[in-house]
Amino acid sequence: MDLDGIYRAEYGRCVATLTRLLGDISLAEEAVQDAFATAVEKWAETPPNPGAWIVTAARNRAIDRLRRESSREARHAQALLLHSQDEPREVGPVRDDQLRMIFTCCHPALSPLARTALTLRLIGGLEVGEIARAYLVPEPTVAQRIVRAKKKIRDAGIPYRVPGSGELPDRLDSVLTVLYLIFNEGYASTSGDLLRTDLCVEAVRLTRALADLMPDEPEVIGLLALLLLTEARRPARVGPSGELVVLAEQDRSSWNRELIAEGHELVRRCLRLGRPGPYQVQAAINAVHTDGESTDWTQVLALYDQLWRLTPTPVVALNRAVAVAEVHGPAAALAAIEGLDLPGYHHLPATRANLLSRLGRTSDAVAAYDEAIALATNDTERAFLRAKRAVLS
Amino acid sequence: MRQYLLAVQLDESERDAPEEEFLAMLARTGKVTDEMKAAGSWVFVGGLEHSDVSTVVRPEGGKTTITDGPFAETKEQLGGFWVIQVDDLDQALAWAEKCALACGQPIEVRPFGDPSR
């Protein structure tokens, strides 16, 4: 029996259900942890539906505990539990509870770090230490943020529900941002090695769950397509000795064909819905990259122009310049990124270095690579930039 | 039901708005207050004089001292507030949005402590 695996898979769902029954996230977490501790002792073999077993055990533990405590709050919670008409539901349908939990964790009244940390902890079942490592934040800081956020949810009265249609677009943005951030942290880690596969997998799983629940939200489908098409290229992104391999040099035969097919189908579904948004356009760009034997850069540039109209940010301008270089040459691209202000973002000097070296301006390119190397925080990307610089000088 | 303070954060270093603008602002905030009353969410509303009119009474070794001026010497001071009674933070935030747009100032939303705890 793989209790660790079951814990990973079921923790988030069980806490979400118990939170609905108890009305308190911390209490729900304690009850679920108690139930897992009991499972370690009692399970000779895995029950057919481990999630339902945990929910029932946790609910009983919570009732016992509330009976022992005599505060007014405890009595109130107990009354809620005993009189709740609906028995803990089977694991399948509790998806509603998880969605409620995602929206609660990503409430705009919480700080961005608290949103990602809480989502990873309560939905992804990640340990505090794992979250701390992913975000380069000391473990006590993450623990404290999570405790504070849970306290704010309770004390400020943040509701445990999926927002109504009026607020939904605003609130959905926050949820999508968190899922996108979790994936990006896995795809290009802030430090150490390039990839944190577990974070990528978790982000894809959560986005799939969201897309299951909101099949008519084009941006949700767009984000899922974007993540799948990016994830599909992951095996080719790092070479045999852990070095970074750029898109043009990747071995396309090692891309995950299934994920690409699914991603393309989702992009077509977005097109049919006819309500384009930034995630959908980025997914379409990745669909072009993964279509056929080489990238159709004219199409990519047209999509970046569309993305620029939707979100005119310096990062979009920088990424667009890469397509400009392919279609109109490096001089045009260099002009397009002139004056961009992205302090601390190593991709800007790295892109400038690449364009300068293509124009034969070697000494300017070396200087730009030096700037990029100083800013890069990830070992793999630093090594990649150093190698590029070494070829020039 | 829970009670929330919707506090108007006023930057007192900025010059007072012209009379006409001030009256228009009062009319807008008054309309929001009327809406709150109609929705059964209203508990109290009040605008405050500027903080230079404040006086602070401080305890000191069993006695008190009195000083002129506000407790904290910052530009942003409490300019006035609403107290409302609603189900949850989302409802409080929805009122705060209306208040912020009506008075043109940031609104701090702060829950009152739950007396049952």
Side-chain angles (χ1 to χ4, degrees):
Chain A
M1 177 192 58
D2 171 22
L3 199 65
D4 279 349
I6 294 171
Y7 183 84
R8 267 263 159 142
E10 304 295 343
Y11 181 82
R13 303 191 233 200
C14 295
V15 171
T17 302
L18 262 291
T19 301
R20 173 170 51 79
L21 296 172
L22 294 167
D24 183 314
I25 294 174
S26 299
L27 216 58
E29 276 199 294
E30 279 169 34
V32 170
Q33 276 156 11
D34 275 0
F36 270 104
T38 313
V40 175
E41 291 163 22
K42 288 202 172 162
W43 287 0
E45 57 188 73
T46 309
N49 190 340
W53 192 98
I54 293 289
V55 166
T56 306
R59 182 173 177 272
N60 293 338
R61 298 290 293 223
I63 291 173
D64 283 352
R65 214 190 109 182
L66 291 168
R67 278 195 178 130
R68 284 198 306 275
E69 290 169 8
S70 57
S71 75
R72 187 174 151 193
E73 197 189 354
R75 285 200 303 276
H76 177 75
Q78 190 194 337
L80 210 90
L81 260 182
L82 293 173
H83 295 117
S84 83
Q85 290 297 313
D86 47 355
E87 279 294 297
R89 280 175 281 168
E90 296 287 302
V91 169
V94 302
R95 291 185 318 172
D96 289 352
D97 290 328
Q98 269 194 297
L99 190 59
R100 236 176 251 148
M101 186 64 101
I102 291 185
F103 277 97
T104 307
C105 290
C106 296
H107 196 281
L110 301 172
S111 76
L113 176 63
R115 285 181 222 163
T116 25
L118 256 193
T119 306
L120 284 170
R121 175 77 200 106
L122 294 177
I123 309 287
L126 262 65
E127 297 297 336
V128 172
E130 295 176 283
I131 300 166
R133 278 195 295 283
Y135 286 93
L136 285 178
V137 183
E139 201 170 319
T141 309
V142 172
Q144 188 208 348
R145 291 293 178 101
I146 290 178
V147 169
R148 226 190 119 239
K150 284 193 286 197
K151 188 174 178 303
K152 181 163 182 185
I153 289 171
R154 191 190 63 199
D155 294 346
I158 291 178
Y160 182 60
R161 64 177 174 84
V162 176
S165 54
E167 305 151 290
L168 194 58
D170 283 355
R171 299 293 162 90
L172 190 59
D173 274 357
S174 171
V175 170
L176 295 175
T177 306
V178 165
L179 296 175
Y180 184 64
L181 279 177
I182 292 172
F183 183 86
N184 271 351
E185 185 55 40
Y187 198 70
S189 302
T190 325
S191 73
D193 288 340
L194 186 65
L195 297 169
R196 281 280 320 262
T197 311
D198 52 341
L199 289 182
C200 292
V201 169
E202 195 51 38
V204 169
R205 190 185 75 80
L206 294 175
T207 310
R208 257 189 211 289
L210 192 65
D212 246 20
L213 291 153
M214 314 179 98
D216 299 322
E217 275 298 328
E219 278 291 87
V220 177
I221 306 168
L223 179 66
L224 179 58
L226 171 62
L227 300 193
L228 292 176
L229 292 170
T230 313
E231 176 72 359
R233 302 203 305 265
R234 182 160 53 83
R237 198 152 163 266
V238 184
S241 42
E243 76 278 14
L244 183 75
V245 183
V246 291
L247 180 64
E249 287 154 22
Q250 285 178 8
D251 171 13
R252 289 177 174 240
S253 69
S254 66
W255 290 354
N256 185 324
R257 288 287 136 202
E258 263 174 57
L259 291 185
I260 290 176
E262 191 187 350
H264 281 203
E265 175 50 40
L266 291 173
V267 169
R268 282 193 289 273
R269 210 165 108 197
C270 289
L271 282 173
R272 286 198 295 275
L273 290 167
R275 284 149 57 203
Y279 291 116
Q280 295 172 76
V281 177
Q282 287 182 76
I285 290 170
N286 279 279
V288 177
H289 283 313
T290 48
D291 191 24
E293 283 312 300
S294 62
T295 295
D296 176 351
W297 285 101
T298 313
Q299 222 183 328
V300 169
L301 182 56
L303 286 165
Y304 268 118
D305 289 341
Q306 194 186 354
L307 185 59
W308 174 257
R309 284 193 295 274
L310 291 169
T311 45
T313 66
V315 171
V316 171
L318 179 63
N319 292 335
R320 182 182 166 276
V322 174
V324 170
E326 298 301 324
V327 178
H328 301 299
L334 200 58
I337 62 171
E338 202 167 330
L340 280 188
D341 188 27
L342 283 163
Y345 194 64
H346 73 275
H347 289 294
L348 177 57
T351 305
R352 190 182 293 128
N354 174 279
L355 297 171
L356 288 166
S357 85
R358 282 156 79 176
L359 288 166
R361 291 168 57 183
T362 310
S363 63
D364 290 341
V366 169
Y369 273 125
D370 283 338
E371 200 188 323
I373 291 163
L375 290 176
T377 52
N378 169 302
D379 298 341
T380 313
E381 284 181 290
R382 226 180 355 244
F384 171 83
L385 293 166
R386 283 212 184 94
K388 288 281 174 193
R389 185 193 181 282
V391 174
L392 291 178
S393 51
Chain B
M1 289 292 247
R2 303 185 52 125
Q3 291 193 335
Y4 293 84
L5 175 74
L6 308 184
V8 181
Q9 299 301 309
L10 194 66
D11 184 344
E12 291 188 345
S13 70
E14 280 182 16
R15 287 178 33 182
D16 283 347
E19 182 74 9
E20 216 172 288
E21 240 175 75
F22 179 71
L23 289 175
M25 187 276 288
L26 276 189
R28 288 194 303 270
T29 52
K31 234 181 103 195
V32 176
T33 304
D34 289 344
E35 263 187 73
M36 285 175 180
K37 286 179 178 165
S41 305
W42 180 84
V43 178
F44 183 87
V45 65
L48 292 167
E49 295 294 342
H50 269 207
S51 66
D52 56 6
V53 186
S54 288
T55 310
V56 176
V57 179
R58 263 191 193 78
E60 230 172 60
K63 291 188 193 155
T64 57
T65 57
I66 289 176
T67 50
D68 178 29
F71 170 72
E73 298 282 352
T74 60
K75 289 188 306 180
E76 292 83 9
Q77 295 285 349
L78 186 62
F81 58 90
W82 283 267
V83 176
I84 57 167
Q85 187 154 298
V86 290
D87 285 337
D88 56 42
L89 182 67
D90 282 354
Q91 290 181 12
L93 293 176
W95 284 118
E97 266 177 37
K98 292 188 176 191
C99 294
L101 292 173
C103 71
Q105 305 291 339
I107 303 287
E108 181 176 331
V109 180
R110 198 157 160 189
F112 280 84
D114 184 348
S116 72
R117 267 202 286 274

